[in-house]
Amino acid sequence: MAKNKKTFFEIIHNATKKHWIWYTIIIFLPTLWFSYIIPVWGEYGLIDSQKKYTNTAIVISIIICVLSFMITVLNNWYASKSEFGELENLRGHVEYLQQVTDSVDAICDEKYVQLRKIIQQVCIGQEVNPKIISNPNNQLKKILEQIVVCLIKFMEKPDEPYAYKDFYVHLAYNFPEENTEWKWLDGTIERGMSLSVLMAGNSTFNYVRNSKKNLLF
């Protein structure tokens, strides 16, 4: 039933957009009727000898007023609901993209701080010129941290807030050209999920890893 009501209101709203000339005429019709048609053409069955509206004029006036009022109310009601929903979606999209941008900045800042630290150590003789300037481990931890922040922003609703502790984003890796051993990212903990559980035959991760399919996990 609700779906049918929404469809009906949507049809009215779309019709007013598509046939905007007729919509404008309907909205303007009461003004035209009372200010011009009745005063000028009232003698043709709309006003009697006592300058009162005839039954015909009363019926037509009611029809015009009700028609104009109903179409205006229905159109404005649906427009307020749909436009508010679209505005909320756009606002959420902008906020999410802003969070992604902030997260990228945070990751870049981590790399920048590490770069300055290494350069300073090299300049004062505490470090030789390294082949890898950045600290991949710290960068990966920062990326995982910002993934959680973006996930919170993406999932949250006005009536359903989330906190950092509600999500767990982790990284397990191995170097297949060296060995088959899997490890957690350095400096992180399992938090209830061991590598043996992660690599179990019926785990989702293990299925994606061994299926050889083009999957996003």
Side-chain angles (χ1 to χ4, degrees), residues 146-202:
Q146 294 305 317
I147 286 176
V148 175
V149 174
C150 290
L151 189 59
I152 292 172
K153 178 60 68 174
F154 179 75
M155 296 289 292
E156 70 178 1
K157 299 177 182 178
D159 58 341
E160 193 174 358
Y162 291 97
Y164 191 89
K165 62 181 177 62
D166 296 326
F167 296 92
Y168 176 46
V169 178
H170 205 0
L171 175 65
Y173 69 95
N174 86 317
F175 299 105
E177 295 184 0
E178 296 182 6
N179 53 57
T180 58
E181 182 183 4
W182 283 79
K183 299 180 180 179
W184 289 118
L185 179 67
D186 292 344
T188 56
I189 57 177
E190 294 181 354
R191 291 185 63 180
M193 179 179 290
S194 65
L195 283 171
S196 59
V197 173
L198 185 66
M199 300 301 162
N202 59 351

Short mmCIF file of all heavy atoms in Angstrom, two decimals, residues 146-202:
data_model
loop_
_atom_site.label_atom_id
_atom_site.label_comp_id
_atom_site.label_asym_id
_atom_site.label_seq_id
_atom_site.Cartn_x
_atom_site.Cartn_y
_atom_site.Cartn_z
N GLN A 146 43.21 3.99 8.92
CA GLN A 146 42.34 4.90 8.16
C GLN A 146 41.24 4.14 7.43
O GLN A 146 40.17 4.70 7.17
CB GLN A 146 43.18 5.71 7.18
CG GLN A 146 44.15 6.68 7.84
CD GLN A 146 43.46 7.61 8.81
OE1 GLN A 146 42.38 8.16 8.53
NE2 GLN A 146 44.06 7.81 9.97
N ILE A 147 41.48 2.88 7.11
CA ILE A 147 40.40 2.06 6.55
C ILE A 147 39.25 1.94 7.55
O ILE A 147 38.07 2.04 7.19
CB ILE A 147 40.92 0.66 6.15
CG1 ILE A 147 41.77 0.77 4.87
CG2 ILE A 147 39.76 -0.31 5.91
CD1 ILE A 147 42.40 -0.54 4.45
N VAL A 148 39.60 1.73 8.81
CA VAL A 148 38.57 1.65 9.86
C VAL A 148 37.81 2.97 9.97
O VAL A 148 36.57 2.99 10.06
CB VAL A 148 39.20 1.28 11.22
CG1 VAL A 148 38.14 1.31 12.32
CG2 VAL A 148 39.85 -0.09 11.15
N VAL A 149 38.55 4.08 9.95
CA VAL A 149 37.91 5.40 10.05
C VAL A 149 36.94 5.61 8.89
O VAL A 149 35.81 6.09 9.08
CB VAL A 149 38.98 6.50 10.08
CG1 VAL A 149 38.33 7.88 10.04
CG2 VAL A 149 39.84 6.38 11.33
N CYS A 150 37.37 5.26 7.68
CA CYS A 150 36.50 5.42 6.51
C CYS A 150 35.30 4.47 6.59
O CYS A 150 34.19 4.82 6.19
CB CYS A 150 37.28 5.16 5.22
SG CYS A 150 38.50 6.43 4.83
N LEU A 151 35.52 3.27 7.10
CA LEU A 151 34.44 2.30 7.24
C LEU A 151 33.38 2.80 8.23
O LEU A 151 32.18 2.62 8.01
CB LEU A 151 35.00 0.96 7.69
CG LEU A 151 34.05 -0.25 7.67
CD1 LEU A 151 33.52 -0.48 6.27
CD2 LEU A 151 34.75 -1.48 8.19
N ILE A 152 33.83 3.42 9.31
CA ILE A 152 32.89 3.99 10.28
C ILE A 152 32.03 5.06 9.63
O ILE A 152 30.81 5.09 9.78
CB ILE A 152 33.66 4.57 11.49
CG1 ILE A 152 34.32 3.45 12.29
CG2 ILE A 152 32.73 5.38 12.39
CD1 ILE A 152 35.24 3.95 13.38
N LYS A 153 32.67 5.95 8.87
CA LYS A 153 31.94 7.02 8.19
C LYS A 153 30.97 6.46 7.15
O LYS A 153 29.87 6.97 6.97
CB LYS A 153 32.93 7.98 7.53
CG LYS A 153 32.29 9.12 6.76
CD LYS A 153 31.42 9.99 7.66
CE LYS A 153 32.26 10.77 8.66
NZ LYS A 153 31.45 11.73 9.44
N PHE A 154 31.39 5.40 6.48
CA PHE A 154 30.56 4.81 5.43
C PHE A 154 29.34 4.08 6.02
O PHE A 154 28.25 4.12 5.45
CB PHE A 154 31.40 3.82 4.61
CG PHE A 154 30.63 3.13 3.53
CD1 PHE A 154 30.29 3.79 2.35
CD2 PHE A 154 30.24 1.81 3.67
CE1 PHE A 154 29.58 3.15 1.36
CE2 PHE A 154 29.53 1.16 2.68
CZ PHE A 154 29.20 1.83 1.51
N MET A 155 29.50 3.44 7.17
CA MET A 155 28.45 2.61 7.74
C MET A 155 27.51 3.37 8.67
O MET A 155 26.37 2.94 8.88
CB MET A 155 29.07 1.46 8.53
CG MET A 155 29.88 0.48 7.70
SD MET A 155 28.86 -0.53 6.63
CE MET A 155 27.98 -1.53 7.84
N GLU A 156 27.95 4.48 9.23
CA GLU A 156 27.16 5.13 10.27
C GLU A 156 25.86 5.73 9.72
O GLU A 156 25.77 6.12 8.56
CB GLU A 156 27.99 6.23 10.94
CG GLU A 156 28.27 7.44 10.08
CD GLU A 156 29.06 8.50 10.81
OE1 GLU A 156 29.39 8.28 11.98
OE2 GLU A 156 29.33 9.55 10.21
N LYS A 157 24.87 5.78 10.60
CA LYS A 157 23.59 6.39 10.32
C LYS A 157 23.25 7.32 11.48
O LYS A 157 23.80 7.18 12.57
CB LYS A 157 22.50 5.32 10.16
CG LYS A 157 22.74 4.35 9.02
CD LYS A 157 21.66 3.29 8.98
CE LYS A 157 21.91 2.28 7.88
NZ LYS A 157 20.88 1.22 7.85
N PRO A 158 22.33 8.28 11.25
CA PRO A 158 21.99 9.21 12.34
C PRO A 158 21.53 8.49 13.61
O PRO A 158 21.83 8.93 14.72
CB PRO A 158 20.86 10.06 11.73
CG PRO A 158 21.11 10.02 10.26
CD PRO A 158 21.66 8.64 10.00
N ASP A 159 20.80 7.38 13.45
CA ASP A 159 20.29 6.65 14.61
C ASP A 159 21.11 5.41 14.92
O ASP A 159 20.71 4.59 15.75
CB ASP A 159 18.83 6.25 14.38
CG ASP A 159 18.66 5.40 13.13
OD1 ASP A 159 19.56 5.43 12.27
OD2 ASP A 159 17.62 4.73 13.00
N GLU A 160 22.25 5.24 14.26
CA GLU A 160 23.06 4.05 14.46
C GLU A 160 24.55 4.40 14.36
O GLU A 160 25.21 4.10 13.37
CB GLU A 160 22.69 2.98 13.43
CG GLU A 160 23.25 1.60 13.75
CD GLU A 160 22.74 0.56 12.77
OE1 GLU A 160 21.93 0.90 11.88
OE2 GLU A 160 23.15 -0.61 12.90
N PRO A 161 25.08 5.05 15.38
CA PRO A 161 26.49 5.45 15.34
C PRO A 161 27.42 4.27 15.60
O PRO A 161 27.03 3.28 16.22
CB PRO A 161 26.59 6.48 16.47
CG PRO A 161 25.53 6.06 17.44
CD PRO A 161 24.41 5.50 16.61
N TYR A 162 28.63 4.38 15.10
CA TYR A 162 29.65 3.35 15.31
C TYR A 162 30.90 3.99 15.91
O TYR A 162 31.12 5.20 15.80
CB TYR A 162 30.02 2.67 14.00
CG TYR A 162 28.92 1.80 13.44
CD1 TYR A 162 28.07 2.28 12.45
CD2 TYR A 162 28.73 0.49 13.89
CE1 TYR A 162 27.06 1.49 11.93
CE2 TYR A 162 27.73 -0.31 13.38
CZ TYR A 162 26.90 0.20 12.39
OH TYR A 162 25.90 -0.59 11.88
N ALA A 163 31.71 3.14 16.56
CA ALA A 163 32.96 3.59 17.15
C ALA A 163 34.10 2.78 16.57
O ALA A 163 33.90 1.74 15.92
CB ALA A 163 32.92 3.43 18.67
N TYR A 164 35.31 3.24 16.82
CA TYR A 164 36.50 2.57 16.27
C TYR A 164 36.58 1.12 16.74
O TYR A 164 36.99 0.24 15.99
CB TYR A 164 37.74 3.35 16.71
CG TYR A 164 39.00 2.93 16.00
CD1 TYR A 164 39.38 3.53 14.80
CD2 TYR A 164 39.82 1.93 16.53
CE1 TYR A 164 40.55 3.14 14.15
CE2 TYR A 164 40.99 1.53 15.88
CZ TYR A 164 41.35 2.15 14.70
OH TYR A 164 42.50 1.75 14.05
N LYS A 165 36.17 0.87 17.97
CA LYS A 165 36.26 -0.47 18.54
C LYS A 165 35.27 -1.46 17.92
O LYS A 165 35.39 -2.67 18.12
CB LYS A 165 36.02 -0.42 20.05
CG LYS A 165 34.65 0.09 20.44
CD LYS A 165 34.48 0.14 21.94
CE LYS A 165 33.13 0.72 22.34
NZ LYS A 165 32.00 -0.09 21.84
N ASP A 166 34.30 -0.96 17.15
CA ASP A 166 33.29 -1.83 16.56
C ASP A 166 33.80 -2.56 15.31
O ASP A 166 33.13 -3.47 14.83
CB ASP A 166 32.04 -1.02 16.18
CG ASP A 166 31.35 -0.44 17.41
OD1 ASP A 166 31.38 -1.10 18.46
OD2 ASP A 166 30.78 0.66 17.31
N PHE A 167 34.96 -2.14 14.79
CA PHE A 167 35.48 -2.75 13.58
C PHE A 167 36.91 -3.24 13.81
O PHE A 167 37.64 -2.70 14.62
CB PHE A 167 35.48 -1.74 12.42
CG PHE A 167 34.11 -1.28 12.02
CD1 PHE A 167 33.56 -0.14 12.59
CD2 PHE A 167 33.37 -1.98 11.09
CE1 PHE A 167 32.30 0.29 12.22
CE2 PHE A 167 32.10 -1.56 10.72
CZ PHE A 167 31.56 -0.42 11.29
N TYR A 168 37.23 -4.26 13.06
CA TYR A 168 38.57 -4.83 13.16
C TYR A 168 39.11 -5.07 11.76
O TYR A 168 38.63 -5.94 11.03
CB TYR A 168 38.52 -6.16 13.94
CG TYR A 168 39.83 -6.88 14.03
CD1 TYR A 168 41.01 -6.21 14.36
CD2 TYR A 168 39.90 -8.25 13.78
CE1 TYR A 168 42.22 -6.88 14.44
CE2 TYR A 168 41.11 -8.93 13.87
CZ TYR A 168 42.26 -8.23 14.20
OH TYR A 168 43.46 -8.89 14.27
N VAL A 169 40.06 -4.26 11.35
CA VAL A 169 40.71 -4.39 10.05
C VAL A 169 42.16 -4.77 10.28
O VAL A 169 42.89 -4.07 10.99
CB VAL A 169 40.62 -3.07 9.25
CG1 VAL A 169 41.34 -3.21 7.92
CG2 VAL A 169 39.16 -2.70 9.01
N HIS A 170 42.57 -5.90 9.70
CA HIS A 170 43.89 -6.42 9.98
C HIS A 170 44.53 -6.88 8.67
O HIS A 170 43.86 -6.98 7.65
CB HIS A 170 43.79 -7.60 10.96
CG HIS A 170 45.05 -7.82 11.74
ND1 HIS A 170 46.19 -7.05 11.60
CD2 HIS A 170 45.36 -8.76 12.68
CE1 HIS A 170 47.11 -7.49 12.40
NE2 HIS A 170 46.66 -8.53 13.07
N LEU A 171 45.82 -7.18 8.73
CA LEU A 171 46.56 -7.59 7.54
C LEU A 171 47.38 -8.84 7.83
O LEU A 171 48.19 -8.87 8.75
CB LEU A 171 47.49 -6.47 7.07
CG LEU A 171 48.40 -6.82 5.89
CD1 LEU A 171 47.58 -7.09 4.63
CD2 LEU A 171 49.41 -5.69 5.63
N ALA A 172 47.11 -9.88 7.05
CA ALA A 172 47.92 -11.10 7.08
C ALA A 172 48.64 -11.21 5.75
O ALA A 172 48.07 -10.90 4.70
CB ALA A 172 47.04 -12.32 7.33
N TYR A 173 49.89 -11.64 5.77
CA TYR A 173 50.68 -11.65 4.53
C TYR A 173 51.64 -12.84 4.53
O TYR A 173 51.95 -13.43 5.56
CB TYR A 173 51.46 -10.35 4.38
CG TYR A 173 52.58 -10.20 5.39
CD1 TYR A 173 53.88 -10.57 5.06
CD2 TYR A 173 52.34 -9.70 6.67
CE1 TYR A 173 54.92 -10.45 5.98
CE2 TYR A 173 53.35 -9.58 7.59
CZ TYR A 173 54.65 -9.95 7.25
OH TYR A 173 55.65 -9.84 8.16
N ASN A 174 52.11 -13.15 3.33
CA ASN A 174 53.25 -14.05 3.18
C ASN A 174 53.96 -13.72 1.87
O ASN A 174 53.40 -13.05 1.01
CB ASN A 174 52.81 -15.52 3.22
CG ASN A 174 52.39 -16.03 1.84
OD1 ASN A 174 51.69 -15.33 1.11
ND2 ASN A 174 52.79 -17.22 1.50
N PHE A 175 55.21 -14.18 1.75
CA PHE A 175 56.00 -13.97 0.55
C PHE A 175 56.17 -15.34 -0.12
O PHE A 175 57.05 -16.12 0.27
CB PHE A 175 57.35 -13.35 0.89
CG PHE A 175 57.22 -12.00 1.53
CD1 PHE A 175 57.44 -11.82 2.89
CD2 PHE A 175 56.88 -10.89 0.77
CE1 PHE A 175 57.32 -10.58 3.48
CE2 PHE A 175 56.75 -9.64 1.36
CZ PHE A 175 56.97 -9.49 2.70
N PRO A 176 55.34 -15.66 -1.10
CA PRO A 176 55.32 -17.01 -1.66
C PRO A 176 56.64 -17.44 -2.29
O PRO A 176 56.93 -18.64 -2.36
CB PRO A 176 54.20 -16.93 -2.72
CG PRO A 176 54.04 -15.49 -3.02
CD PRO A 176 54.38 -14.77 -1.76
N GLU A 177 57.47 -16.50 -2.71
CA GLU A 177 58.75 -16.87 -3.30
C GLU A 177 59.78 -17.25 -2.23
O GLU A 177 60.83 -17.82 -2.55
CB GLU A 177 59.29 -15.74 -4.16
CG GLU A 177 58.43 -15.44 -5.39
CD GLU A 177 59.06 -14.39 -6.28
OE1 GLU A 177 60.16 -13.91 -5.93
OE2 GLU A 177 58.45 -14.05 -7.32
N GLU A 178 59.47 -16.92 -0.98
CA GLU A 178 60.39 -17.25 0.12
C GLU A 178 59.92 -18.48 0.89
O GLU A 178 60.69 -19.40 1.14
CB GLU A 178 60.52 -16.05 1.06
CG GLU A 178 61.14 -14.82 0.40
CD GLU A 178 61.28 -13.67 1.38
OE1 GLU A 178 61.00 -13.89 2.59
OE2 GLU A 178 61.66 -12.57 0.97
N ASN A 179 58.64 -18.49 1.28
CA ASN A 179 58.09 -19.63 2.03
C ASN A 179 56.57 -19.56 1.99
O ASN A 179 55.98 -18.66 1.38
CB ASN A 179 58.60 -19.62 3.48
CG ASN A 179 58.35 -18.28 4.16
OD1 ASN A 179 57.22 -17.82 4.23
ND2 ASN A 179 59.41 -17.66 4.64
N THR A 180 55.93 -20.49 2.64
CA THR A 180 54.46 -20.52 2.67
C THR A 180 53.90 -20.05 4.01
O THR A 180 52.70 -20.19 4.27
CB THR A 180 53.98 -21.97 2.43
OG1 THR A 180 54.53 -22.83 3.42
CG2 THR A 180 54.40 -22.45 1.04
N GLU A 181 54.74 -19.48 4.84
CA GLU A 181 54.31 -19.05 6.18
C GLU A 181 53.56 -17.73 6.10
O GLU A 181 54.01 -16.78 5.48
CB GLU A 181 55.54 -18.89 7.09
CG GLU A 181 55.17 -18.49 8.51
CD GLU A 181 56.40 -18.26 9.37
OE1 GLU A 181 57.53 -18.35 8.82
OE2 GLU A 181 56.23 -18.00 10.57
N TRP A 182 52.41 -17.69 6.76
CA TRP A 182 51.62 -16.46 6.85
C TRP A 182 51.87 -15.80 8.19
O TRP A 182 52.03 -16.47 9.22
CB TRP A 182 50.13 -16.77 6.69
CG TRP A 182 49.75 -17.01 5.25
CD1 TRP A 182 49.93 -18.15 4.54
CD2 TRP A 182 49.12 -16.07 4.39
NE1 TRP A 182 49.45 -17.99 3.26
CE2 TRP A 182 48.94 -16.72 3.14
CE3 TRP A 182 48.67 -14.75 4.51
CZ2 TRP A 182 48.35 -16.10 2.04
CZ3 TRP A 182 48.08 -14.13 3.43
CH2 TRP A 182 47.93 -14.79 2.22
N LYS A 183 51.86 -14.47 8.21
CA LYS A 183 52.11 -13.71 9.43
C LYS A 183 51.14 -12.55 9.50
O LYS A 183 50.66 -12.04 8.49
CB LYS A 183 53.55 -13.16 9.45
CG LYS A 183 54.63 -14.23 9.41
CD LYS A 183 56.01 -13.58 9.43
CE LYS A 183 57.12 -14.62 9.40
NZ LYS A 183 58.46 -14.00 9.39
N TRP A 184 50.89 -12.13 10.76
CA TRP A 184 50.16 -10.89 10.95
C TRP A 184 51.13 -9.72 10.77
O TRP A 184 52.33 -9.87 10.96
CB TRP A 184 49.56 -10.81 12.36
CG TRP A 184 48.40 -11.73 12.63
CD1 TRP A 184 48.37 -12.71 13.56
CD2 TRP A 184 47.13 -11.74 11.98
NE1 TRP A 184 47.16 -13.36 13.54
CE2 TRP A 184 46.37 -12.78 12.58
CE3 TRP A 184 46.55 -10.99 10.96
CZ2 TRP A 184 45.07 -13.06 12.18
CZ3 TRP A 184 45.25 -11.29 10.56
CH2 TRP A 184 44.53 -12.30 11.17
N LEU A 185 50.60 -8.57 10.43
CA LEU A 185 51.42 -7.37 10.33
C LEU A 185 52.10 -7.10 11.67
O LEU A 185 51.47 -7.22 12.73
CB LEU A 185 50.56 -6.17 9.93
CG LEU A 185 51.25 -4.83 9.80
CD1 LEU A 185 52.24 -4.85 8.63
CD2 LEU A 185 50.23 -3.71 9.62
N ASP A 186 53.38 -6.75 11.65
CA ASP A 186 54.13 -6.51 12.88
C ASP A 186 53.45 -5.44 13.73
O ASP A 186 52.97 -4.43 13.21
CB ASP A 186 55.56 -6.05 12.55
CG ASP A 186 56.38 -7.16 11.93
OD1 ASP A 186 55.96 -8.32 12.03
OD2 ASP A 186 57.43 -6.85 11.34
N GLY A 187 53.47 -5.66 15.02
CA GLY A 187 52.92 -4.67 15.95
C GLY A 187 51.42 -4.76 16.13
O GLY A 187 50.82 -3.93 16.80
N THR A 188 50.80 -5.76 15.53
CA THR A 188 49.36 -5.94 15.69
C THR A 188 49.09 -7.26 16.40
O THR A 188 49.96 -8.11 16.51
CB THR A 188 48.64 -5.93 14.33
OG1 THR A 188 49.22 -6.94 13.49
CG2 THR A 188 48.81 -4.58 13.64
N ILE A 189 47.86 -7.42 16.84
CA ILE A 189 47.50 -8.63 17.59
C ILE A 189 46.36 -9.35 16.89
O ILE A 189 45.67 -8.79 16.04
CB ILE A 189 47.10 -8.28 19.04
CG1 ILE A 189 45.93 -7.28 19.04
CG2 ILE A 189 48.28 -7.71 19.81
CD1 ILE A 189 45.42 -6.95 20.43
N GLU A 190 46.15 -10.60 17.27
CA GLU A 190 45.15 -11.41 16.60
C GLU A 190 43.73 -11.04 16.99
O GLU A 190 42.80 -11.20 16.19
CB GLU A 190 45.41 -12.88 16.90
CG GLU A 190 46.72 -13.40 16.32
CD GLU A 190 46.94 -14.87 16.62
OE1 GLU A 190 46.13 -15.44 17.37
OE2 GLU A 190 47.90 -15.45 16.10
N ARG A 191 43.53 -10.60 18.20
CA ARG A 191 42.21 -10.21 18.69
C ARG A 191 41.18 -11.31 18.49
O ARG A 191 40.11 -11.12 17.93
CB ARG A 191 41.74 -8.92 18.01
CG ARG A 191 42.54 -7.70 18.41
CD ARG A 191 41.98 -6.44 17.81
NE ARG A 191 40.63 -6.17 18.31
CZ ARG A 191 39.89 -5.11 17.95
NH1 ARG A 191 40.40 -4.24 17.10
NH2 ARG A 191 38.69 -4.94 18.43
N GLY A 192 41.52 -12.51 18.92
CA GLY A 192 40.56 -13.60 18.91
C GLY A 192 40.57 -14.44 17.65
O GLY A 192 39.89 -15.46 17.59
N MET A 193 41.31 -14.05 16.63
CA MET A 193 41.37 -14.85 15.40
C MET A 193 42.81 -15.23 15.12
O MET A 193 43.63 -14.39 14.76
CB MET A 193 40.79 -14.07 14.21
CG MET A 193 40.84 -14.87 12.90
SD MET A 193 40.12 -13.98 11.50
CE MET A 193 38.39 -14.01 11.96
N SER A 194 43.12 -16.49 15.28
CA SER A 194 44.47 -16.95 15.02
C SER A 194 44.67 -17.20 13.54
O SER A 194 43.71 -17.32 12.77
CB SER A 194 44.74 -18.24 15.81
OG SER A 194 43.89 -19.27 15.34
N LEU A 195 45.93 -17.31 13.14
CA LEU A 195 46.22 -17.60 11.74
C LEU A 195 45.71 -18.97 11.33
O LEU A 195 45.31 -19.18 10.18
CB LEU A 195 47.73 -17.51 11.50
CG LEU A 195 48.30 -16.09 11.39
CD1 LEU A 195 49.82 -16.13 11.37
CD2 LEU A 195 47.78 -15.41 10.14
N SER A 196 45.70 -19.90 12.27
CA SER A 196 45.19 -21.24 11.95
C SER A 196 43.71 -21.19 11.62
O SER A 196 43.22 -21.90 10.72
CB SER A 196 45.44 -22.19 13.12
OG SER A 196 44.80 -21.71 14.29
N VAL A 197 42.95 -20.34 12.33
CA VAL A 197 41.53 -20.18 12.03
C VAL A 197 41.34 -19.47 10.70
O VAL A 197 40.50 -19.85 9.87
CB VAL A 197 40.82 -19.39 13.16
CG1 VAL A 197 39.38 -19.07 12.77
CG2 VAL A 197 40.86 -20.18 14.45
N LEU A 198 42.15 -18.43 10.47
CA LEU A 198 42.06 -17.68 9.22
C LEU A 198 42.35 -18.55 8.01
O LEU A 198 41.72 -18.42 6.96
CB LEU A 198 43.03 -16.49 9.26
CG LEU A 198 42.97 -15.53 8.07
CD1 LEU A 198 41.63 -14.80 8.03
CD2 LEU A 198 44.11 -14.53 8.13
N MET A 199 43.30 -19.46 8.16
CA MET A 199 43.70 -20.32 7.05
C MET A 199 42.96 -21.66 7.02
O MET A 199 43.31 -22.54 6.24
CB MET A 199 45.21 -20.60 7.13
CG MET A 199 46.06 -19.35 7.06
SD MET A 199 45.76 -18.45 5.53
CE MET A 199 46.42 -16.85 5.97
N ALA A 200 41.93 -21.78 7.85
CA ALA A 200 41.18 -23.03 7.87
C ALA A 200 40.50 -23.26 6.52
O ALA A 200 40.20 -22.33 5.78
CB ALA A 200 40.14 -22.99 8.98
N GLY A 201 40.25 -24.55 6.23
CA GLY A 201 39.73 -24.89 4.91
C GLY A 201 38.39 -24.28 4.59
O GLY A 201 38.08 -24.04 3.41
N ASN A 202 37.55 -24.01 5.59
CA ASN A 202 36.21 -23.48 5.33
C ASN A 202 36.10 -21.98 5.60
O ASN A 202 34.99 -21.45 5.63
CB ASN A 202 35.18 -24.23 6.18
CG ASN A 202 35.49 -24.11 7.67
OD1 ASN A 202 36.55 -23.61 8.06
ND2 ASN A 202 34.57 -24.58 8.50
#
